[in-house]
């Protein structure tokens, strides 16, 4: 834990605080159908043209059911659009490597992954996807799935802010304005910055280079169908192969990286994701990428305070997120800096920490910070391999996702996920004082609590249910790279990441199989829309309510007491729900590691 690491953490926190208010004010205008921004002279004509082409009346608002229906229809149609592109990839343009179409199960998994803003990747991008598929099928969703998440958060905030209203906004107007006024302008500047740092942006075919020192590697013999050959005892038949050339991947990377980070998508152009020098060339690009992941999630808390005319409440929600962020980074940083005692017994210096699976360019601190940030948000981009973290270091990103990624969270998803816990917290406070709970002048009634809990219960049910199914199935166990508690953690992390719409992985798991691709696909669908629909129902309910004047017994939703109650609610609900599963995975693995056992 060097002093310059503390300085970098301080700079990161300072930069996040500095951009929260101005970006929050800008989002406040972008999420207002009548809001005005400095980009209006350029973008307002394009916005009006879009409404005219799509026959949208921007003045017509929707109730929560109409809003949810529009969201589901949009997601379903765009998912089919992406599935078709991936299956027909070979016949489409911009395919210099002549990649074939994806298998049905992989195309389904990938289409669902990107429409839900999960960006789970059961494939290696540079060896599977054509440039057309990367730009049209995937980046298309990077923008619009991110816009949909912000739109839902905006609709929920409107429901909280309004009273005696039957509407919560217009979904089509929301995603149009968010895409045009927020995501596109920032990403254009962002992509140019990444190019200046060394991130590539071209439409060239991959380059084949001759290496200076050829390497001899042992590989498994394959038959005519590409399957590995085994001997009579089931052992793989190996042969030596001389590697004298290297394939250098080319493509429009910078433009994809910008929206990948800003929109908390996480899907990498390359399989190595942000650990690849073409995606993340310099320490400065690494810092800006981490900052952009939390930028919109942080700013939305200011939008919450501004819209509800209670800025102290918005900052209190931000503070609760910030406390949990610090706890996560300190635990992960400490665990990785402490290293693995088994490695140390073999001669690895304790001061070096656990460098397994980490880029030397970034080291332990930036890897730990990146892992914490990307799982606080529903991003999933990685600059190190979480599968190689120590047990407690790997527990942090897993638990971050299990909370619903409410620690700043993904674009929109973090705020509407945290508002679940806000409602639960004020409900608990009401029970403790023996009066009907209130939230910003509105009574929280049984219907509101039911739909709120439904959103969280769905998340817990699919994570634990799918993990349990994989644990007792041949297809589930066949995909493991490790046994024991670490193998269990690989499966638990996969379904946690899918349900939380994160997309990162304990990459030792071989998930590109029909069963894993299919179950993870449904895991992602339920995790996204099974959570959003109840929250839109909550938004509709809150919008219809009347304002009740505050009284002596009203629980304040700002200040230290509220912040501590909110943090405690998040940790308590998360711990009670997932602690048994965590105890079977990273927690028991930690104690076994101290005893000298590896898996």
């Amino acid at each position: 834990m060097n002093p310059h690491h503390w300085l970098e953490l301080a700079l990161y926190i300072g930069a996040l605080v500095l951009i929260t208010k101005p970006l929050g004010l800008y989002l406040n205008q972008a999420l207002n159908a009548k809001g005005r921004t400095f980009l209006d002279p350029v973008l307002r004509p394009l916005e009006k043209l879009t409404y005219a082409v799509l026959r949208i009346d921007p003045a017509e608002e929707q109730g929560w059911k109409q809003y949810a229906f529009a969201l589901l229809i949009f997601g379903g149609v765009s998912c089919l659009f992406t599935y078709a592109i991936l299956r027909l990839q070979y016949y489409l343009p911009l395919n210099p490597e002549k990649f074939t179409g994806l298998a049905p199960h992989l195309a389904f998994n990938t289409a669902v992954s990107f429409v839900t803003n999960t960006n789970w990747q059961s494939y290696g991008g540079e060896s599977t996807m054509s440039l057309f598929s990367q730009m049209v099928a995937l980046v298309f969703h990077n923008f619009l799935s991110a816009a949909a998440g912000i739109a839902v958060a905006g609709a929920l905030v409107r429901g909280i802010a309004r009273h005696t209203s039957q509407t919560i906004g217009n979904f089509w107007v929301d995603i149009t304005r968010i895409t045009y006024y927020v995501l596109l302008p920032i990403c254009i500047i962002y992509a140019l910055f990444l190019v200046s740092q060394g991130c590539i942006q071209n439409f060239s075919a991959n380059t084949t280079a001759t290496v200076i020192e050829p390497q001899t590697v042992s590989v498994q013999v394959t038959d005519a169908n590409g399957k590995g050959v085994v001997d009579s005892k089931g052992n793989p038949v190996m042969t030596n192969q001389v590697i004298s050339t290297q394939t250098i991947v080319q493509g429009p990377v910078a433009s994809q990286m910008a929206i990948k980070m800003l929109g908390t998508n996480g899907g990498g152009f390359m399989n190595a994701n942000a650990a690849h020098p073409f995606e993340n060339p310099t320490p400065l690009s690494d810092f800006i990428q981490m900052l952009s992941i939390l930028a919109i999630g942080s700013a939305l808390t200011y939008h919450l305070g501004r819209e509800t005319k209670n800025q102290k409440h918005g900052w209190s929600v931000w503070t609760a997120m910030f406390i949990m962020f610090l706890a996560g980074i300190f635990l992960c940083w400490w665990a990785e800096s402490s290293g693995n005692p088994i490695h140390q017994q073999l001669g690895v210096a304790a001061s070096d920490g656990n460098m397994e699976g980490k880029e030397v360019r970034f080291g332990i601190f930036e890897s730990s910070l990146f892992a914490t940030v990307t799982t606080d948000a529903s991003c999933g981009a990685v600059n190190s391999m979480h599968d190689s973290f120590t047990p407690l270091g790997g527990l942090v990103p897993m638990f971050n996702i299990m909370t619903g990624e409410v620690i700043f969270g993904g674009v929109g998803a973090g705020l509407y996920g945290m508002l679940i816990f806000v409602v639960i917290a004020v409900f608990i406070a009401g029970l403790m004082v023996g009066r009907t709970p209130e939230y910003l002048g509105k009574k929280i009634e049984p219907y509101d609590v039911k739909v709120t809990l439904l959103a969280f219960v769905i998340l817990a049910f699919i994570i634990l249910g799918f993990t349990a199914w994989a644990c007792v199935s041949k297809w589930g166990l066949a995909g493991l790279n490790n046994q024991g508690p670490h193998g269990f953690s690989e499966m638990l992390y996969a379904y946690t990441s899918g349900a939380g719409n994160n997309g990162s992985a304990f990459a030792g798991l071989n998930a590109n199989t029909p069963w894993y691709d299919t179950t993870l696909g449904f895991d992602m669908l339920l995790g996204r829309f099974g959570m959003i629909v109840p929250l839109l129902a909550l938004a509709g309910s809150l919008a219809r309510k009347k304002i009740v004047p505050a009284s002596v017994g009203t629980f304040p939703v700002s200040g230290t007491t509220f912040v501590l109650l909110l943090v405690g609610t998040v940790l308590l609900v998360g711990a009670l729900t997932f602690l048994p599963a965590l105890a079977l995975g990273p927690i028991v693995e930690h104690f076994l590691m101290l005893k000298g056992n590896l898996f």
Side-chain angles (χ1 to χ4, degrees), residues 328-363:
I329 179 56
F330 286 150
L331 177 57
C332 188
W333 185 13
W334 170 81
E336 295 309 299
S337 297
S338 299
N340 188 325
I342 302 174
H343 293 171
Q344 292 160 13
Q345 292 170 9
L346 297 174
V348 177
S351 59
D352 291 339
N354 176 38
M355 279 298 295
E356 180 188 345
K358 296 178 177 64
E359 262 283 340
V360 177
R361 295 182 298 143
F362 302 132

Side-chain angles (χ1 to χ4, degrees), residues 207-254:
T207 302
T208 300
T210 301
V211 300
I212 297 175
E213 297 181 359
Q215 302 289 320
T216 301
V217 297
S218 182
V219 298
Q220 186 177 7
V221 176
T222 58
D223 59 20
N225 296 320
K227 295 183 178 180
V229 177
V230 296
D231 59 24
S232 58
K233 296 182 179 179
N235 298 318
V237 177
M238 310 298 291
T239 184
N240 289 333
Q241 181 176 332
V242 178
I243 305 297
S244 58
T245 60
Q246 177 185 3
T247 299
I248 301 175
V249 178
Q250 305 289 343
V253 177

Side-chain angles (χ1 to χ4, degrees), residues 93-126:
L94 292 174
N95 186 8
E97 306 304 320
K98 303 300 179 183
F99 290 133
T100 60
L102 275 61
H105 59 86
L106 181 57
F108 166 75
N109 179 278
T110 305
V112 167
S113 174
F114 279 78
V115 79
T116 58
N117 198 239
T118 309
N119 299 68
W120 171 274
Q121 294 176 283
S122 291
Y123 60 88
E126 68 268 50

Side-chain angles (χ1 to χ4, degrees), residues 414-430:
L415 180 62
Y416 65 65
M418 179 57 93
L419 289 175
I420 291 177
F421 290 104
V422 170
V423 172
I424 296 174
V426 298
F427 176 70
I428 293 172

Side-chain angles (χ1 to χ4, degrees), residues 268-329:
F269 194 97
M270 281 83 164
N271 193 36
N273 211 281
H276 197 290
F278 281 179
E279 289 199 17
N280 193 5
T282 67
L284 180 58
S285 71
D286 192 60
F287 182 89
I288 296 300
Q289 286 185 15
M290 288 188 286
L291 183 63
S292 63
I293 290 172
L294 296 187
I296 293 178
S298 178
L300 280 169
T301 62
Y302 193 88
H303 167 69
L304 169 67
R306 191 82 172 185
E307 191 74 5
T308 59
K309 296 178 174 59
N310 190 334
Q311 207 64 65
K312 289 184 178 179
H313 175 55
W315 281 117
S316 295
V317 172
W318 187 94
T319 303
M321 294 175 171
F322 177 69
I323 290 172
M324 291 183 286
F325 163 75
L326 281 184
I329 179 56

Side-chain angles (χ1 to χ4, degrees), residues 27-325:
L27 285 170
N28 206 59
Q29 294 301 312
L31 285 165
N32 182 350
K34 298 179 181 179
R36 300 194 65 81
T37 75
F38 68 94
L39 293 174
D40 277 21
V42 177
L43 296 178
R44 183 70 76 172
L46 180 60
E47 180 187 1
K48 290 181 178 179
L49 177 62
T50 302
Y51 296 150
V53 171
L54 299 180
R55 298 184 179 180
I56 295 169
D57 181 0
E60 182 181 349
E61 291 201 344
Q62 301 167 318
W64 79 265
K65 292 180 181 178
Q66 291 77 20
Y67 201 100
F69 182 74
L71 172 69
L72 294 174
I73 288 295
F74 175 74
V77 172
S78 58
C79 186
L80 291 174
F81 168 76
T82 300
Y83 179 84
I85 290 177
L86 298 179
R87 292 284 288 137
L88 300 172
Q89 176 176 258
Y90 181 79
Y91 304 100
L92 297 174
L94 292 174
N95 186 8
E97 306 304 320
K98 303 300 179 183
F99 290 133
T100 60
L102 275 61
H105 59 86
L106 181 57
F108 166 75
N109 179 278
T110 305
V112 167
S113 174
F114 279 78
V115 79
T116 58
N117 198 239
T118 309
N119 299 68
W120 171 274
Q121 294 176 283
S122 291
Y123 60 88
E126 68 268 50
S127 60
T128 308
M129 297 291 178
S130 69
L131 302 184
F132 186 87
S133 294
Q134 294 270 24
M135 291 190 300
V136 178
L138 305 186
V139 175
F140 164 80
H141 283 301
N142 283 358
F143 278 96
L144 294 181
S145 66
I150 300 172
V152 171
L156 181 55
V157 171
R158 287 190 205 106
I160 295 169
R162 294 178 178 182
H163 56 90
T164 61
S165 173
Q166 298 298 316
T167 61
I168 58 172
N170 186 310
F171 173 75
W172 306 110
V173 173
D174 285 343
I175 62 168
T176 299
R177 288 186 59 82
I178 292 163
T179 302
Y180 286 167
Y181 289 92
V182 180
L183 300 179
L184 273 173
I186 298 176
C187 284
I188 290 172
I189 299 171
Y190 193 178
L192 292 174
F193 162 76
L194 290 175
V195 170
S196 75
Q197 294 298 296
C199 193
I200 63 172
Q201 180 74 13
N202 59 53
F203 294 95
S204 303
N206 293 347
T207 302
T208 300
T210 301
V211 300
I212 297 175
E213 297 181 359
Q215 302 289 320
T216 301
V217 297
S218 182
V219 298
Q220 186 177 7
V221 176
T222 58
D223 59 20
N225 296 320
K227 295 183 178 180
V229 177
V230 296
D231 59 24
S232 58
K233 296 182 179 179
N235 298 318
V237 177
M238 310 298 291
T239 184
N240 289 333
Q241 181 176 332
V242 178
I243 305 297
S244 58
T245 60
Q246 177 185 3
T247 299
I248 301 175
V249 178
Q250 305 289 343
V253 177
S255 56
Q256 184 165 329
M257 293 310 99
I259 187 59
K260 157 190 166 180
M261 297 301 185
L262 183 69
T264 63
N265 295 283
F269 194 97
M270 281 83 164
N271 193 36
N273 211 281
H276 197 290
F278 281 179
E279 289 199 17
N280 193 5
T282 67
L284 180 58
S285 71
D286 192 60
F287 182 89
I288 296 300
Q289 286 185 15
M290 288 188 286
L291 183 63
S292 63
I293 290 172
L294 296 187
I296 293 178
S298 178
L300 280 169
T301 62
Y302 193 88
H303 167 69
L304 169 67
R306 191 82 172 185
E307 191 74 5
T308 59
K309 296 178 174 59
N310 190 334
Q311 207 64 65
K312 289 184 178 179
H313 175 55
W315 281 117
S316 295
V317 172
W318 187 94
T319 303
M321 294 175 171
F322 177 69
I323 290 172
M324 291 183 286
F325 163 75

